[in-house]
């Protein structure tokens, strides 16, 4: 074998080895959520992201981390945030996907880079705070076009459509109570509901009930249930302190108390509320939102320039109703309404 053939074979072996390495190496992706794993409100969003990105043509390795911020005290949450940041630095993922406001802010504070820096890219989902508020602080978009390593999907919770539904059902003057936690996520949820109604005829139909402790929750529940003008309420008290036990109660513990003690229509902001026993209504579809964010993630893996991937609004919603709750509340629902329902749960 002459010298030229040997050189050719060596070059060929080099390219084959390089090709196999590049295309067999798993791409690390890190998913961060402030909820606990399989939380009924957030798990569908996580599932949507996972099922979407697993359909891409690249080999990926998914790392997931859950801050469990609805239950843990602030000191413990800070420890988990620190651990998550260190873990991301150790893994050095190509892509970080966040599933809510707290997770998004943690990642912006630690991993925001210019477009010239290839790792990591950031895709957010489930952001309720106006994206403009984040942009004032971190300066990563210009007219919804990324100028840094960030894109994603802003959540929309279809509150105007919910109140149109209540108007259709009760057919009389009404008010809706907004029962919300005073913690970080509760405040964001309250502001989004009021913001979505700001330029509608329903903007003065909301009566707010902020709660921090379970004792305050019980007082608010009594007032809501006994107010003749309140016909429905939003159960956004998804985390309250329980001083005797020195822990936080979250929706799985709170929901049964609310359902038993408020004999009024309980409106969900996403489909998870109907599935834990509330009435439901016109609800955001977190699975569809997660899948939508996953599609942006796939485009990044396919080397689309992130500056071409504009910030999107969540598109998916469902009319989902809990039949058991209809029966318990003895609601008289027109038959025509059942033809509009996407999902009826027991």
């Amino acid at each position: 074998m002459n010298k030229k053939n040997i050189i050719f074979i060596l070059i060929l072996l080099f390219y084959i080895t390089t090709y196999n390495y590049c295309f067999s190496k798993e791409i690390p992706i890190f998913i961060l959520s402030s909820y606990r794993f399989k939380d009924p409100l957030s798990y569908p969003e996580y599932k949507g992201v996972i099922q979407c990105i697993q359909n891409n043509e690249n080999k990926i390795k998914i790392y997931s981390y859950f801050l469990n911020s609805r239950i843990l005290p602030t000191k413990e949450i800070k420890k988990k945030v620190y651990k998550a940041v260190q873990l991301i630095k150790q893994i050095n993922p190509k892509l970080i996907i966040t599933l809510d406001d707290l997770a998004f802010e943690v990642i912006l504070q630690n991993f925001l880079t210019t477009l010239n820096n290839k790792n990591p890219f950031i895709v957010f989902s489930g952001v309720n705070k106006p994206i403009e508020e984040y942009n004032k602080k971190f300066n990563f978009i210009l007219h919804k076009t990324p100028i840094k390593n960030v894109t994603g999907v802003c959540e929309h919770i279809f509150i105007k459509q919910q109140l149109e539904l209540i108007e259709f059902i009760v057919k009389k003057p009404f008010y809706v109570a907004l029962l919300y936690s005073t913690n970080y996520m509760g405040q964001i949820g309250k502001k989004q509901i009021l913001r979505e109604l700001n330029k509608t005829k329903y903007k003065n139909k909301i009566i707010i009930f902020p709660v921090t402790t379970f004792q305050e929750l019980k007082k608010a529940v009594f007032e809501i249930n006994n107010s003749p003008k309140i016909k429905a309420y939003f159960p956004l008290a998804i985390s309250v302190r329980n001083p005797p036990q020195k822990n936080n109660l979250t929706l799985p513990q709170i929901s049964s108390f609310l359902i038993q003690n408020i004999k009024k229509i309980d409106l969900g902001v996403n489909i998870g509320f109907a599935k834990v026993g509330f009435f439901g209504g016109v609800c955001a579809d977190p699975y569809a939102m997660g899948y939508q964010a996953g599609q942006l993630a796939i485009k990044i893996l396919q080397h689309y320039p992130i500056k071409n991937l504009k910030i999107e609004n969540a598109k998916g919603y469902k009319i989902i109703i809990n039949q058991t709750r209809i029966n318990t509340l003895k609601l008289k629902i027109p038959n025509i309404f059942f033809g509009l329902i996407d999902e009826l749960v027991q």
Side-chain angles (χ1 to χ4, degrees), residues 38-218:
K38 290 197 174 181
D39 184 279
L41 300 185
S42 67
Y43 185 65
E45 180 187 6
Y46 174 76
K47 191 175 177 182
V49 169
I50 293 289
Q51 292 189 351
C52 181
I53 62 177
Q54 285 179 336
N55 290 331
N56 87 97
E57 60 193 22
N58 298 287
K59 290 184 178 180
I60 59 173
K61 184 173 180 61
I62 299 171
Y63 300 85
S64 303
Y65 195 85
F66 299 86
L67 298 174
N68 201 9
S69 66
R70 306 302 183 275
I71 296 175
L72 296 176
T74 302
K75 186 177 180 181
E76 293 302 314
I77 295 169
K78 288 181 178 179
K79 288 181 181 178
K80 295 208 75 172
V81 166
Y82 176 80
K83 185 176 179 181
V85 170
Q86 296 308 308
L87 192 58
I88 292 170
K89 289 178 179 178
Q90 179 184 336
I91 293 168
N92 189 29
K94 179 179 179 64
L95 181 64
I96 302 172
I97 301 174
T98 66
L99 301 184
D100 52 72
D101 285 87
L102 178 57
F104 183 46
E105 186 146 11
V106 166
I107 296 305
L108 285 180
Q109 289 172 349
N110 291 278
F111 297 100
L112 185 66
T113 64
T114 65
L115 287 177
N116 294 325
N117 191 323
K118 293 184 178 180
N119 286 330
F121 292 105
I122 300 166
V123 174
F124 65 82
S125 176
V127 165
N128 297 98
K129 189 190 293 186
I131 202 67
E132 294 78 14
E133 289 189 23
Y134 287 111
N135 198 45
K136 284 179 184 177
K137 184 176 180 180
F138 296 103
N139 188 33
F140 56 89
I141 55 171
L142 181 64
H143 307 303
K144 290 203 170 184
T145 298
I147 57 174
K148 291 185 180 174
N149 61 328
V150 183
T151 189
V153 180
C154 299
E155 186 166 0
H156 183 69
I157 49 179
F158 306 97
I159 301 303
K160 175 176 175 286
Q161 291 86 342
Q162 278 284 40
L163 268 64
E164 288 173 342
L165 173 62
I166 291 301
E167 191 171 37
F168 175 76
I169 293 173
V170 302
K171 300 187 185 303
K172 61 179 71 172
F174 69 93
Y175 286 87
V176 175
L178 172 51
L179 178 65
Y180 71 96
S181 308
T182 58
N183 62 6
Y184 178 83
M185 292 303 297
Q187 294 283 2
I188 289 175
K190 177 204 74 171
K191 289 177 182 178
Q192 181 165 11
I193 286 176
L194 298 179
R195 188 170 64 250
E196 288 194 15
L197 294 178
N198 185 43
K199 295 182 180 179
T200 75
K201 67 178 183 178
Y202 304 112
K203 67 178 182 179
N204 296 318
K205 292 290 186 181
I206 300 293
I207 302 174
I208 62 172
F209 290 85
V211 294
T212 302
T213 66
F214 187 64
Q215 196 63 33
E216 292 174 356
L217 178 70
K218 289 195 289 185

Side-chain angles (χ1 to χ4, degrees), residues 239-258:
S239 179
V240 295
R241 292 207 306 266
N242 189 26
Q245 278 72 43
K246 297 182 180 180
N247 65 343
N248 286 352
L249 299 176
T250 59
L251 196 63
Q253 295 89 39
I254 295 170
S255 58
S256 58
F257 175 78
L258 297 178

